[in-house]
Amino acid sequence: MSPVPPPAAPATGTPPQHRTLVDRLGIPKPLLLGYIGVLLFMVGDGVESGFIAPYMADHGAGNEIHASYVITVYGVTVMLASWLSGALSELWGPRRVMIMGLAFWVVFDVLFLVFALGPHNYPLMLVFYGLRGFGYPFFAFGFLVWITATAPQATMGKAVGWFYVAFTGGLPTLGSVVAGITNPLFGEFGTLWVALCVISLGGVICLWGVRERTGFQRLAAPGVRPVQSLLSSLSIAWTHPRVAVGCVVRVINTAPEFGFLVFLPTFFGKQLGFGEGRWLTLLAVIYGTNVLCNLLFGAIGDAIGWRRTIATFGGLGCAVTTLMLYFVPQAVGSHYWVAIAVGMLYGVALAGFVPISALIPALAPDNKGGAMALLNLGAGGAAFVGPALVSVLLGPIGPGGVVIVFAALYVFSSFLTLYLKTPEERGETAPVPAGVVPERQVTEV
């Protein structure tokens, strides 16, 4: 699609010649500490990503398949919370939803560590780890709604790109780095307590550091009631079918990522003999490369079109590099730098999906809140679909077969993206709902 022409002045009202470096980078200045807080929160969340499945398998779950069941239950709550984060942010304001997310994570993480993982209680693992899944979607995706409510349309791709720099910079990139440092010092169990401290710090920085007022209040029109808002976030799937298709694309975007975290630690760490330390380093390199490219593809999407970027660099690029990530190291053996190279290529391609968070709200300008709710549902659904596919397919077709299925899904997402035309591309003029100001102003106290 053609990029939206920039307004005469930024949404803050600051003349272009007086814009700060933060403004020029595409970060809404009043939300800067929020990006930092989300980064730290996701660092804490990502600490466990490279080792939690095999660790649970050895400490109460019994085996890798049973551990994948725990992660699948977690994915169900992540999916539900991701959908609710958009709808509840419209009703209560993003900040309140983020507070709920922080509370869910801290409370149920403590219960998980003390009463489930510590004493090797598998049923309680399912319960507490699952309920903890409400935490990061409420916190992170609540902040994403805050961004889309304040960032200028002309730089929305960059603003969203910076969100994914923070999000993926923590989960699993820097989180894996932290785990690589703390696991030898405190052990895996001690590292999980370190992660809780990092998450709490990120929550404090974000919630007490960001004073931009849009996120403190409801975003929905005054007459919208809770049930109406929740129904709207579902009914948009058939009133705006392109948004529903975009939700499917968003699921495919990161479903393989979550699925990989179930069986790739064993493949790289044990089968190829890299060990836990070098596997965690590889994981950090993959998503570190992705972080560096997230902003790049946000800008590319603004320049050449969001659909084109997603379909080519995202869908087709990930299909090819997913196959390379598994089959090339398997073919050449324990050559670590080969694994690093193909991992970096996958990280680059994965960044091609970044413009999806700018594209989906643009598909329904009259119901952006509902579109964001469905977008977040897709993001959370990936945390369920990926591990669920591994749980079902790993036994019958093995890890190689699972990888082929993931690659096929990426090709499918590329074709689906061709359908995601905005009203402007279809020659339509989208209505603006009554009582909604077209451009929300970014205010700061």
Side-chain angles (χ1 to χ4, degrees):
M1 61 171 286
S2 300
V4 179
T12 57
T14 304
Q17 64 269 24
H18 295 144
R19 296 174 71 195
T20 65
L21 176 61
V22 171
D23 295 321
R24 295 178 187 277
L25 289 173
I27 300 174
K29 185 178 178 181
L31 301 183
L32 177 60
L33 287 178
Y35 284 90
I36 296 172
V38 168
L39 171 63
L40 289 173
F41 189 100
M42 299 313 297
V43 166
D45 196 305
V47 161
E48 67 184 38
S49 59
F51 67 85
I52 192 63
Y55 186 78
M56 286 193 295
D58 294 338
H59 294 80
N63 56 54
E64 196 173 65
I65 299 297
H66 287 166
S68 74
Y69 295 156
V70 179
I71 297 174
T72 300
V73 171
Y74 172 81
V76 171
T77 57
V78 167
M79 179 172 61
L80 178 61
S82 299
W83 164 58
L84 289 173
S85 65
L88 295 180
S89 293
E90 285 283 304
L91 287 172
W92 298 339
R95 186 175 185 272
R96 184 181 297 183
V97 174
M98 294 174 69
I99 292 173
M100 292 171 56
L102 178 62
F104 264 105
W105 216 105
V106 170
V107 170
F108 287 106
D109 190 52
V110 170
L111 292 175
F112 170 69
L113 294 176
V114 174
F115 297 107
L117 193 59
H120 300 184
N121 189 315
Y122 181 66
L124 289 184
M125 285 185 194
L126 291 165
V127 174
F128 294 141
Y129 195 80
L131 289 173
R132 201 194 70 179
F134 282 98
Y136 94 72
F138 277 179
F139 190 88
F141 296 141
F143 186 67
L144 180 59
V145 173
W146 203 339
I147 292 170
T148 59
T150 58
Q153 183 75 5
T155 57
M156 184 68 73
K158 292 179 183 177
V160 169
W162 278 111
F163 168 80
Y164 284 105
V165 166
F167 187 96
T168 313
L171 174 67
T173 311
L174 293 178
S176 299
V177 174
V178 171
I181 296 171
T182 57
N183 279 0
L185 296 175
F186 309 117
E188 286 90 344
F189 193 73
T191 290
L192 295 174
W193 286 103
V194 172
L196 179 61
C197 296
V198 176
I199 279 179
S200 301
L201 176 61
V204 169
I205 290 175
C206 191
L207 295 172
W208 275 266
V210 178
R211 311 311 300 169
E212 196 280 320
R213 302 309 299 179
T214 303
F216 282 68
Q217 57 198 6
R218 63 181 280 148
L219 305 179
V224 176
R225 299 181 181 276
V227 174
Q228 180 184 356
S229 178
L230 292 174
L231 290 178
S232 174
S233 66
L234 288 176
S235 64
I236 193 173
W238 56 85
T239 60
H240 295 76
R242 286 176 172 80
V243 175
V245 173
C247 176
V248 175
V249 173
R250 182 62 185 88
V251 170
I252 297 173
N253 173 193
T254 48
E257 173 186 339
F258 288 102
F260 283 151
L261 294 175
V262 176
F263 67 90
L264 285 191
T266 300
F267 172 69
F268 283 109
K270 296 181 180 178
Q271 185 174 331
L272 294 183
F274 293 159
E276 183 183 77
R278 288 203 294 174
W279 153 246
L280 291 173
T281 300
L282 171 60
L283 190 63
V285 169
I286 292 173
Y287 292 100
T289 304
N290 175 252
V291 167
L292 294 176
C293 293
N294 277 341
L295 181 61
L296 172 64
F297 280 101
I300 290 174
D302 288 339
I304 70 171
W306 298 330
R307 282 195 308 122
R308 184 181 303 171
T309 302
I310 296 164
T312 54
F313 296 104
L316 297 181
C318 281
V320 173
T321 56
T322 291
L323 296 173
M324 294 175 64
L325 179 63
Y326 180 81
F327 288 107
V328 170
Q330 186 182 56
V332 302
S334 301
H335 295 280
Y336 188 61
W337 290 106
V338 173
I340 289 286
V342 294
M344 291 176 68
L345 290 175
Y346 176 66
V348 172
L350 194 61
F353 280 98
V354 161
I356 192 76
S357 295
L359 175 59
I360 288 185
L363 298 175
D366 56 321
N367 189 3
K368 287 189 176 183
M372 286 302 300
L374 214 60
L375 170 68
N376 292 344
L377 175 63
F384 162 69
V385 171
L389 286 174
V390 174
S391 298
V392 173
L393 299 176
L394 187 61
I397 65 177
V402 174
V403 170
I404 292 173
V405 170
F406 286 160
L409 286 175
Y410 277 129
V411 173
F412 182 52
S413 76
S414 183
F415 284 105
L416 290 179
T417 303
L418 301 178
Y419 177 68
L420 304 182
K421 294 183 178 181
T422 65
E424 290 81 5
E425 290 178 307
R426 303 194 305 271
E428 301 174 3
T429 301
V432 178
V436 176
V437 180
E439 293 289 339
R440 290 189 178 100
Q441 298 298 310
V442 181
T443 57
E444 188 175 12
V445 297

